[in-house]
Amino acid sequence: MSLRNLSPPLVTLAGVATMAGLPAIDAILSTSTSLAALKFINTAAFALNVGAVSVPGRLDGQQDDEMRKGEINPSKPNANETASGVYGRNRCRTLVDPSGWAFAIWGPIYLGETAFIATQLLSSHADAVIPGMTAPFVAANLMQSLWCASFRPSYLGDGMKKYISAGMLAGTAYSLSLVLEAGNAAAAANPAFQAWMLTPFVIHFGWVSAATLVNLNGSLASHSTSSPRALTALGHSSALAATALGVGVTVAMSAPVYGMTLAWALAACADGMKKRKAAHSEHDEKILGAAAKVQRNLCLAGSFACLSTALYTALL
């Protein structure tokens, strides 16, 4: 069965099963599985993720197609009238819409994780963290693969299925938080372990934390009956939540890279509000236009708070 044809109930069931089974899988893998087997499992899980990401048809791939066709083009009046999905007709309705430059962060994430996979296969430098990180790393890759299956036009429309993709990203973020936790535990138990090796995973954790909120807002905006006041409330709440995560997780887990990543995401969302196009409805734009100005300030303030906290934590 192709990834793009997985049904919403099947994707939901797989995601719930992955999260529910994570503690039991972790208990098995961390105590009774050889290092060689764990390294192979990590490699297979990462390969699955890379393969899932490469399957065409996702909504963000649709955005790229529409931009190449000129259907999303700020210099072309009403260009987005012909665009579709979250990134087309309804993109101007969400208040959490990062500028395109923000997505360049995927390059360092995948390059860094590829380097880690190669390192754990070819040397013993990561051996201290492998038993504790394998189960959540596998879960993170499975959940992101399920996001690839659910972030598609067929999941939009009435009902709750449009929120499945946001749930898969939330599961990815939670799983990656456990990878970071395993790294901190390994560093505490084994001073020789170089915790910086997990930097790509921390960036990934931070980015999908923000992406979960972007996805959630986009899902609400994808429904034409969503009121501008509901979109405003969710948008402002998301900016505050991202700021709280950036500050709280950075301090609680001594992870300045996480705070820097949230600062990057919030800065991109602020820039996105500066470049947004007007909503098609005059009534909606009256509310959303004013809300976008507040949103930009919230995102800028949040970015500054996250970056300040990250720098303070790094210098302690």
Side-chain angles (χ1 to χ4, degrees):
M1 180 182 292
S2 172
L3 181 74
R4 70 183 79 185
N5 295 326
L6 293 179
S7 67
L10 183 59
V11 169
T12 302
L13 180 61
V16 170
T18 298
M19 289 292 94
L22 180 53
I25 296 171
D26 185 40
I28 295 171
L29 294 181
S30 62
T31 59
S32 58
T33 308
S34 69
L35 273 175
L38 293 175
K39 292 177 180 182
F40 173 79
I41 292 170
N42 285 337
T43 304
F46 184 63
L48 173 67
N49 184 348
V50 172
V53 168
S54 68
V55 176
R58 293 198 318 270
L59 286 167
D60 49 349
Q62 182 178 342
Q63 176 195 22
D64 292 338
D65 291 340
E66 290 172 350
M67 289 180 72
R68 282 194 291 271
K69 294 174 183 176
E71 293 170 357
I72 302 178
N73 184 345
S75 66
K76 185 178 178 181
N78 299 320
N80 62 347
E81 291 284 357
T82 60
S84 55
V86 173
Y87 294 102
R89 291 188 302 272
N90 299 307
R91 191 178 182 189
C92 55
R93 303 180 73 229
T94 176
L95 294 182
V96 186
D97 182 27
S99 287
W101 53 261
F103 297 92
I105 200 171
W106 281 118
I109 289 172
Y110 274 102
L111 285 173
E113 291 183 357
T114 299
F116 178 87
I117 292 296
T119 300
Q120 57 120 33
L121 288 173
L122 300 175
S123 74
S124 60
H125 294 306
D127 286 1
V129 74
I130 296 298
M133 71 164 282
T134 296
F137 180 64
V138 169
N141 282 284
L142 288 174
M143 295 301 288
Q144 188 158 321
S145 297
L146 291 170
W147 170 77
C148 291
S150 57
F151 195 56
R152 296 180 181 273
S154 60
Y155 279 70
L156 298 179
D158 296 334
M160 299 299 292
K161 64 181 181 180
K162 60 180 173 290
Y163 297 110
I164 294 175
S165 56
M168 298 303 112
L169 278 183
T172 305
Y174 172 71
S175 300
L176 288 167
S177 76
L178 298 181
V179 172
L180 174 57
E181 190 176 287
N184 288 341
N190 186 353
F193 172 66
Q194 298 175 330
W196 61 266
M197 294 175 63
L198 296 182
T199 298
F201 303 108
V202 183
I203 299 174
H204 197 167
F205 171 30
W207 182 247
V208 294
S209 298
T212 299
L213 298 171
V214 173
N215 207 151
L216 181 63
N217 280 265
S219 296
L220 182 65
S222 71
H223 202 291
S224 59
T225 61
S226 297
S227 73
R229 297 200 182 280
L231 293 167
T232 298
L234 182 59
H236 292 348
S237 298
S238 296
L240 295 173
T243 303
L245 281 171
V247 172
V249 173
T250 297
V251 173
M253 303 188 77
S254 299
V257 172
Y258 182 89
M260 292 178 186
T261 305
L262 266 293
W264 169 275
L266 283 162
C269 288
D271 192 44
M273 289 300 93
K274 184 179 179 181
K275 298 174 180 176
R276 71 178 287 275
K277 296 197 69 172
H280 306 306
S281 163
E282 184 176 341
H283 171 263
D284 286 3
E285 180 56 24
K286 183 177 181 180
I287 297 172
L288 293 174
K293 295 177 182 178
V294 175
Q295 183 76 355
R296 183 167 184 265
N297 290 330
L298 286 174
C299 290
L300 286 173
S303 181
F304 178 78
C306 291
L307 181 59
S308 301
T309 303
L311 293 175
Y312 178 77
T313 303
L315 294 173
L316 280 180

